[in-house]
């Protein structure tokens, strides 16, 4: 009887220890998950370029609109500005009412934008500014701003990041770049690269925590059944 009682007590003690380990594993999972989201978010904001900008294509959608060099563009061809485009742009809403002949828009790479927009004076309150550099028009876009009052502004922000479209958020609605909430996440090379590094690390930690917790839970249940 004494041996049986001792065995039962030991089994229960081990079971409770394993359940405690399961609890700690669950906490580690929540911690890793929260850290993954917060780190990726803050890292993305900290790696925003100094400026975003959009080249104006005034001859055709094949224009090299970012300083005359296609290598400076985020995409190979301009996004058409005509009745066939799914993106509707009101020029006056993006600081470009002075433009009279527009065939399309294309996002320029951040190294080019730093040069084009150094004197633009864009701010969160005045997020767009049309600049003319050596006869070429560029729309400078403020960095760090993600919510816009109009769909046109969000679409122009999307172009500046190398994607398209816009979507509404909240009530009353404001607009963000991209047809969906994550549509432009891949477009900014700096943000994507640094964010992916954190994401893969934290996913590994999450997987380890979940695996450990599952094993501990299974062993505890088996021992309790004895």
């Amino acid at each position: 009887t004494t041996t049986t009682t001792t065995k039962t007590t030991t089994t229960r003690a081990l079971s409770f220890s394993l359940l405690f380990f399961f609890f700690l594993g669950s906490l580690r999972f929540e911690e890793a998950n929260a850290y993954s989201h917060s780190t990726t978010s803050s890292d993305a904001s900290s790696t925003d370029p100094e400026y975003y900008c959009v080249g104006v294509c005034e001859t055709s959608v094949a224009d090299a609109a970012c300083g005359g060099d296609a290598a400076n563009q985020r995409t190979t061809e301009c996004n058409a500005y005509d009745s066939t485009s799914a993106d509707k742009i009101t020029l006056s809403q993006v600081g470009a009412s002075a433009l009279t002949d527009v065939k399309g828009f294309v996002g320029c790479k951040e190294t080019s934008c730093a040069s084009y927009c150094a004197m633009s004076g864009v701010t969160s309150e005045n997020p767009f500014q049309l600049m003319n550099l050596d006869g070429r028009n560029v729309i400078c876009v403020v960095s760090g701003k993600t919510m816009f009052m109009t769909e046109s502004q969000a679409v122009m922000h999307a172009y500046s990041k190398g994607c398209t479209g816009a979507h509404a958020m909240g009530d009353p609605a404001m607009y963000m770049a991209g047809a969906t909430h994550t549509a432009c996440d891949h477009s900014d090379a700096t943000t994507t690269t640094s964010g992916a590094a954190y994401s893969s690390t934290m996913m590994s930690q999450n997987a380890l925590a979940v695996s450990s917790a599952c094993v501990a839970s299974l062993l505890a249940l088996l021992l309790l059944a004895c």
Side-chain angles (χ1 to χ4, degrees):
T1 304
T2 303
T3 303
T4 302
T5 302
T6 302
K7 181 180 179 181
T8 301
T9 301
T10 302
T11 300
R12 287 179 177 174
L14 182 57
S15 298
F16 284 122
S17 297
L18 289 170
L19 285 173
F20 180 68
F21 181 72
F22 168 73
F23 175 71
L24 289 181
S26 299
L27 287 180
R28 183 68 189 91
F29 170 74
E30 291 299 327
E31 178 188 352
N33 193 49
Y35 182 73
S36 174
H37 285 291
S38 64
T39 305
T40 302
S41 176
S42 62
D43 185 70
S45 63
S46 67
T47 55
D48 275 344
E50 189 174 3
Y51 300 99
Y52 287 107
C53 66
V54 177
V56 181
C57 308
E58 299 180 77
T59 303
S60 74
V61 292
D63 282 357
C66 298
D69 187 349
N72 293 332
Q73 298 177 184
R74 288 184 180 270
T75 55
T76 56
E77 192 172 85
C78 304
N79 300 284
Y81 175 70
D82 57 30
S83 59
T84 67
S85 174
D87 295 328
K88 306 304 180 186
I89 302 289
T90 301
L91 295 178
S92 61
Q93 294 178 353
V94 293
S97 55
L99 295 175
T100 56
D101 189 15
V102 180
K103 302 300 182 184
F105 300 97
V106 64
C108 303
K109 294 181 179 178
E110 60 186 71
T111 51
S112 299
C113 295
S115 172
Y116 303 155
C117 301
M119 302 299 291
S120 65
V122 289
T123 64
S124 182
E125 292 71 31
N126 180 37
F128 301 92
Q129 180 63 49
L130 179 65
M131 303 289 287
N132 187 283
L133 301 152
D134 299 323
R136 296 182 181 276
N137 288 308
V138 173
I139 299 173
C140 294
V141 185
V142 70
S143 179
K145 185 178 178 71
T146 58
M147 302 291 289
F148 296 89
M149 296 298 295
T150 71
E151 185 174 0
S152 291
Q153 293 175 331
V155 168
M156 192 59 66
H157 185 223
Y159 287 168
S160 76
K161 292 171 68 68
C163 55
T164 62
H167 64 281
M169 295 286 288
D171 185 19
M174 294 188 74
Y175 296 87
M176 297 184 72
T180 63
H181 195 63
T182 58
C184 292
D185 284 359
H186 69 285
S187 303
D188 190 328
T190 303
T191 299
T192 303
T193 300
S194 59
Y198 280 107
S199 179
S200 63
T201 300
M202 298 316 297
M203 283 176 66
S204 297
Q205 293 185 11
N206 288 352
L208 179 60
V210 171
S211 298
S212 300
C214 288
V215 170
S217 179
L218 180 60
L219 288 173
L221 290 172
L222 288 173
L223 288 170
L224 284 173
C226 295

